[in-house]
Amino acid sequence: MSNLAMFCHQCSMAQTGGCGSTGKTQGTCGKDENLSRLQDIMIFGLKGLSAYRTHADDLGAHTKTVDDVIAETLYFTLTNVNFSFDQHIEQLMKIGGAGSEMMSLLGEVHHKRLGVPTPVCVPQNKAEGKGILVTGHDLELLERLLIATEGKGINIYTHSEMLPAHGYPELSKYSHLKGNVGKAWFDQKKLFQKWNGTIIVTTNCIVPPTGRANYVNRLYSYGIVGIDNCRQLGEDFGPLIEQTLSLPDIEGFDSKETLMTGHNYKTILGLAPQILDAVNSGKIRQFFVIAGCDKPGTPNDYFRDLALSVPDDCIILTSSCGKFRFNDHDFGTVPGTEIPRYLDLGQCNDSYGAVMIALALSDAMGVPVNDLPVNIVLSWMEQKAVLILLALFNLGIQNIYLGPNPPEFVNEDIFAFLQQQFNLQLTGKAQDDLAKMLNPQPEIELVEV
């Protein structure tokens, strides 16, 4: 954890350099390091909540109850408002509840506008002709782009969290939505340098180009996304289309790889009778939710090691860009069934689908959710992952593994509380964790942070 116990400089009473900058664990107002960090977690959770709220609002959703939680929580973090640890936890649970509501609401407006996703095999790293590469999460923008470019001789390709777009019927019906290029968000510099068409960045996860980048003049940002010297895409796609047609055909992407996506929870619940029968007959031993936000570095190879080690009689559910650590592997089907072992629920906002599946299993089997043969292993990168974790806590989901490293904004006291209340665990070695999940122990050894 950080050597700085706390840091706060939000009011004029703060000590020079900010409260905590000299190692003190309490601010001038009396706020201690635990409350300071809990308020940090609130703000981070609200950032993720605001992202999903913005997407839903663009699609016409009614977000009043979520807006109220955002406003109330910001007020809660105001100087000298609240010094109660328990009430801080209650407010975090409110954020988690709003997160569950928001993800469900966003999913519903996506389904209403674009249809319920169905499984589809997507060409990977194969591109040709005049091309536009779209990264981010904004499906509403992608639909308008497909409409604007139809019949123009331009192919559209997705990148990173846009991969699940191929599963939506109202998007896949466009024949010029061709495939996916690249993996998680952080491959942008190398990928965009190689891509010789235009590029649209629609949401967070943008990597600012360096001075040597050759693609800045082909890069368009949309909405709140912005980079210096980058063109902002508005309602008029004309300049984008004109530039795309003026560029050479796409070269250097000739792979025969494919990726699977489109396993929305509503589609999966259609397989409920077969899944339940396979569980009851012993053909399915356990379910593994291996999902979250990916980030650069070999520590996140943990999630590939874990996924590829999961036994054949287990099902893997995933979402978010963390799936790019292992979605190039063919997991096949559960032996003795036609049930896929790998199910891509969609973008990070579709993570609630795993909960919907678990709740359906719980109801069908008459078993409490936390007693189901379901293991949840999450990678975290930024604020959306914080919101998703709070949403799971609000739903009472326990026994979650989080990694590959603990958040810097969580200290030992807060982690101990989360471990006691929710049995939150930190990831260790993939094989050791897998052994624990396959053979759960009645007593969990506390992890020192």
Side-chain angles (χ1 to χ4, degrees):
M1 293 299 181
S2 171
N3 292 326
L4 197 64
M6 69 166 290
F7 181 76
C8 181
H9 60 174
Q10 67 182 37
C11 77
S12 64
M13 292 173 61
Q15 68 181 77
T16 303
C19 291
S21 60
T22 60
K24 292 183 179 181
T25 60
Q26 190 175 67
T28 306
C29 69
K31 180 169 63 178
D32 63 25
E33 62 173 301
N34 289 336
L35 301 186
S36 179
R37 288 173 184 257
L38 288 174
Q39 290 184 11
D40 286 343
I41 297 172
M42 288 181 191
I43 299 300
F44 298 152
L46 290 188
K47 290 180 180 182
L49 186 59
S50 297
Y52 296 146
R53 185 263 179 206
T54 299
H55 291 314
D57 182 69
D58 288 343
L59 291 164
H62 182 71
T63 64
K64 175 65 167 58
T65 57
V66 171
D67 293 344
D68 287 347
V69 172
I70 294 174
E72 181 185 80
T73 305
L74 288 173
Y75 184 15
F76 193 101
T77 63
L78 207 65
T79 302
N80 296 344
V81 168
N82 192 293
F83 296 89
S84 166
F85 181 90
D86 290 343
Q87 290 180 14
H88 275 69
I89 297 299
E90 290 175 7
Q91 194 65 30
L92 283 169
M93 291 304 100
K94 279 190 180 181
I95 298 171
S100 296
E101 179 182 348
M102 194 70 260
M103 286 187 281
S104 177
L105 184 60
L106 181 54
E108 289 303 317
V109 292
H110 276 150
H111 299 163
K112 182 178 180 180
R113 174 79 164 261
L114 305 173
V116 176
T118 56
V120 61
C121 184
V122 182
Q124 168 73 352
N125 292 329
K126 182 175 178 60
E128 59 186 2
K130 310 295 183 182
I132 301 175
L133 183 62
V134 186
T135 189
H137 306 74
D138 197 326
L139 299 178
E140 189 267 344
L141 177 279
L142 180 62
E143 182 189 36
R144 290 195 291 111
L145 177 66
L146 288 167
I147 293 171
T149 54
E150 188 173 22
K152 297 290 198 302
I154 295 174
N155 294 326
I156 307 298
Y157 298 89
T158 59
H159 170 253
S160 193
E161 283 272 59
M162 275 296 188
L163 168 64
H166 295 271
Y168 287 89
E170 292 301 309
L171 297 179
S172 62
K173 72 180 184 181
Y174 292 96
S175 60
H176 61 302
L177 179 61
K178 292 292 188 180
N180 189 74
V181 176
K183 293 190 174 185
W185 60 274
F186 52 84
D187 70 2
Q188 288 180 24
K189 287 186 178 180
K190 183 177 180 180
L191 175 65
F192 292 176
Q193 193 85 357
K194 182 179 178 182
W195 179 264
N196 53 294
T198 52
I199 306 157
I200 305 175
V201 183
T202 68
T203 54
N204 63 308
C205 300
I206 189 169
V207 180
T210 62
R212 294 176 293 177
N214 67 0
Y215 56 86
V216 178
N217 66 336
R218 296 180 282 109
L219 189 65
Y220 291 77
S221 61
Y222 177 74
I224 64 170
V225 182
I227 310 175
D228 288 338
N229 303 317
C230 172
R231 276 180 275 192
Q232 187 78 7
L233 184 65
E235 298 300 315
D236 181 13
F237 292 101
L240 167 69
I241 291 172
E242 182 179 356
Q243 183 183 22
T244 303
L245 291 173
S246 71
L247 294 170
D249 287 0
I250 303 298
E251 296 180 345
F253 295 91
D254 302 308
S255 175
K256 296 182 179 180
E257 303 169 81
T258 58
L259 298 176
M260 289 297 301
T261 191
H263 300 99
N264 185 264
Y265 81 91
K266 291 183 178 180
T267 300
I268 300 306
L269 290 181
L271 298 173
Q274 297 97 304
I275 293 175
L276 188 60
D277 179 68
V279 171
N280 290 332
S281 65
K283 293 178 181 177
I284 295 178
R285 188 188 343 178
Q286 291 192 21
F287 298 82
F288 286 79
V289 180
I290 307 176
C293 303
D294 198 9
K295 64 179 180 180
T298 56
N300 274 50
D301 284 341
Y302 166 95
F303 299 95
R304 180 178 181 85
D305 294 341
L306 180 66
L308 269 57
S309 299
V310 168
D312 290 346
D313 58 355
C314 298
I315 288 179
I316 296 173
L317 297 96
T318 191
S319 65
S320 313
C321 65
K323 61 176 164 274
F324 282 99
R325 287 282 170 170
F326 50 83
N327 67 347
D328 60 335
H329 180 76
D330 182 3
F331 289 92
T333 58
V334 176
T337 77
E338 295 182 356
I339 301 172
R341 290 190 58 236
Y342 171 82
L343 304 173
D344 177 10
L345 300 174
Q347 295 181 336
C348 53
N349 52 276
D350 294 309
S351 299
Y352 78 105
V355 174
M356 301 302 292
I357 294 172
L359 291 175
L361 280 174
S362 173
D363 183 63
M365 298 174 67
V367 176
V369 171
N370 290 311
D371 291 337
L372 288 171
V374 177
N375 305 285
I376 301 178
V377 188
L378 300 179
S379 60
W380 82 276
M381 166 61 196
E382 43 82 67
Q383 296 87 346
K384 290 179 181 177
V386 174
L387 177 67
I388 291 169
L389 188 62
L390 292 176
L392 292 173
F393 288 158
N394 175 259
L395 292 167
I397 304 299
Q398 299 184 5
N399 310 317
I400 299 170
Y401 280 73
L402 181 70
N405 58 283
E408 290 288 337
F409 49 81
V410 173
N411 65 5
E412 293 183 7
D413 287 345
I414 295 173
F415 186 82
F417 174 84
L418 295 176
Q419 194 170 48
Q420 181 180 21
Q421 295 295 316
F422 302 103
N423 196 28
L424 178 67
Q425 300 292 308
L426 297 179
T427 56
K429 294 182 179 179
Q431 297 302 321
D432 293 342
D433 290 345
L434 180 61
K436 293 177 184 178
M437 286 182 269
L438 291 173
N439 301 286
Q441 301 298 314
E443 296 184 1
I444 302 295
E445 180 182 353
L446 294 181
V447 177
E448 182 177 352
V449 182

